[in-house]
Amino acid sequence: MTNLPKSIDDTQALLANADYVAERSLATAVFLALKMGRPLFLEGEAGVGKTEIAKVLASSLGRPLVRLQCYEGLDIASAVYEWNYSRQMIEIRLAEAGGVSRDEVAKDIFSERFLIKRPLMQALEGKPGAAPVLLIDELDRTDEPFEAYLLEVLSDFQITIPEIGTVKATELPIVVVTSNRTREIHDAIKRRCFYHWVDYPDAARELEILRRKSPGSPEKLSREIVAFVQRLRKLDLFKLPGVAETIDWSKALVALDKMALDPQTVSDTLGTLLKYQDDITRIQGSEAERLLAEVKAELAAA
């Protein structure tokens, strides 16, 4: 198991060793969250690498990853705990058959052995030096009442179960909360976390990401891909391509044995890069040809 990094440089190196190319400001936020035992709140567009931070931390530090994927209607039974009602019913019938009093049965069936532990509760059970990485992914997809419930977890690292009492973490988990900002998250949540906005990378960093994540891509092709994607992000598209889409596009072009971009290939593979038909229709054909010509001219002049 790897010890926590002792500096921002160590944090940046830890991420880089797992092929995560982080800018220094992000490495700083990660380092402070780890050092001070605070949750890290990462906000940004989809596909910029927010979720990957939690995965990289778990693998690099040798910690288990506990993931809570958020969605509309997420409730305590799915996120925190629920009682094993079928086992409880069996226990009640066996107790009644054995002549056990109702009070004794009630006390027994609401004990920990009948508890089904969901991700938030699992994250509080880490062993000393081996607490898990808790990923609360896409919090903006949940409802506001669930946000309110999270306040106790994120501030005190504890969960209150009416029938049992308060369950408190003996070893603080490493918590990463992500949001794609489809709606605003309440300030009370953000106050309990270190906040960082994960933006699209600049060309140099995106090229380095491709070198690590798509090593089979020729250098010339990678440069053209990055330059083309960077130009797309300046357009008024419904959904701009994220880093994940850049990597997917690169791997798709490598699978097609392409050494460089050409207008026909760009038009034929846009569905790997853009995820809305209106965006694809706008870029296909003459617009793709124009953008590619600008990209090649820019790279030739560099």
Side-chain angles (χ1 to χ4, degrees):
M1 182 177 300
T2 305
N3 292 326
L4 297 180
K6 294 180 172 57
S7 67
I8 298 170
D9 290 337
D10 287 349
T11 304
Q12 207 158 11
L14 180 80
L15 298 174
N17 288 337
D19 291 331
Y20 192 100
V21 184
E23 59 187 353
R24 189 170 180 82
S25 59
L26 175 57
T28 301
V30 173
F31 169 70
L32 289 173
L34 294 175
K35 185 175 180 63
M36 300 177 69
R38 294 276 296 278
L40 178 62
F41 189 98
L42 299 176
E43 199 165 41
E45 300 294 336
V48 294
K50 303 184 298 298
T51 299
E52 192 67 18
I53 282 286
K55 295 179 180 179
V56 166
L57 287 176
S59 62
S60 299
L61 297 174
R63 307 287 185 98
L65 176 67
V66 178
R67 180 172 183 169
L68 175 62
Q69 181 61 54
C70 299
Y71 54 86
E72 187 177 353
L74 180 66
D75 59 8
I76 293 175
S78 300
V80 191
Y81 73 92
E82 66 177 322
W83 293 106
N84 191 332
Y85 297 114
S86 58
R87 281 193 60 195
Q88 286 175 323
M89 290 302 299
I90 292 172
E91 190 76 11
I92 290 170
R93 287 169 182 167
L94 290 174
E96 287 176 344
V100 180
S101 71
R102 185 170 296 180
D103 289 341
E104 291 179 358
V105 173
K107 183 178 180 181
D108 184 53
I109 63 171
F110 287 109
S111 60
E112 192 170 342
R113 67 191 182 99
F114 292 99
L115 205 60
I116 301 174
K117 299 173 183 178
R118 301 303 187 193
L120 291 183
M121 180 157 284
Q122 293 170 14
L124 300 184
E125 297 186 322
K127 299 176 182 177
V133 176
L134 170 62
L135 169 61
I136 303 176
D137 207 17
E138 298 183 322
L139 180 60
D140 52 317
R141 293 183 179 272
T142 62
D143 305 313
E144 291 187 9
F146 184 76
E147 273 188 55
Y149 183 85
L150 274 183
L151 295 177
E152 180 183 20
V153 179
L154 296 181
S155 60
D156 300 321
F157 292 99
Q158 66 181 31
I159 290 168
T160 301
I161 303 173
E163 297 86 351
I164 294 179
T166 299
V167 178
K168 192 174 181 66
T170 54
E171 183 81 7
L172 298 185
I174 297 168
V175 182
V176 177
V177 184
T178 74
S179 167
N180 293 336
R181 206 175 187 181
T182 57
R183 69 172 178 85
E184 287 295 332
I185 301 300
H186 198 280
D187 288 345
I189 291 286
K190 293 183 178 181
R191 281 199 304 270
R192 285 159 173 78
C193 308
F194 284 126
Y195 176 88
H196 187 81
W197 174 267
V198 184
D199 210 345
Y200 295 113
D202 59 22
R205 192 154 64 90
E206 193 158 25
L207 182 60
E208 181 60 28
I209 291 170
L210 273 194
R211 287 171 179 154
R212 291 170 178 263
K213 296 295 187 180
S214 182
S217 176
E219 182 71 12
K220 178 183 179 182
L221 178 62
S222 293
R223 289 183 179 277
E224 290 181 350
I225 289 170
V226 169
F228 191 88
V229 172
Q230 292 280 329
R231 283 187 175 271
L232 282 183
R233 292 193 186 125
K234 295 177 182 177
L235 301 179
D236 185 22
L237 300 177
F238 186 78
K239 172 64 177 71
L240 299 179
V243 180
E245 284 75 32
T246 306
I247 295 169
D248 286 345
W249 196 36
S250 175
K251 290 180 178 179
L253 293 169
V254 169
L256 293 172
D257 297 323
K258 296 296 178 180
M259 302 298 292
L261 291 179
D262 61 82
Q264 187 62 53
T265 299
V266 171
S267 291
D268 290 345
T269 58
L270 275 177
T272 310
L273 191 61
L274 303 175
K275 303 304 179 182
Y276 287 88
Q277 183 57 33
D278 288 348
D279 290 343
I280 293 173
T281 302
R282 176 179 172 183
I283 301 301
Q284 270 180 334
S286 60
E287 181 66 5
E289 188 172 354
R290 182 187 69 81
L291 291 172
L292 185 56
E294 291 178 357
V295 163
K296 289 183 179 290
E298 176 187 316
L299 292 175

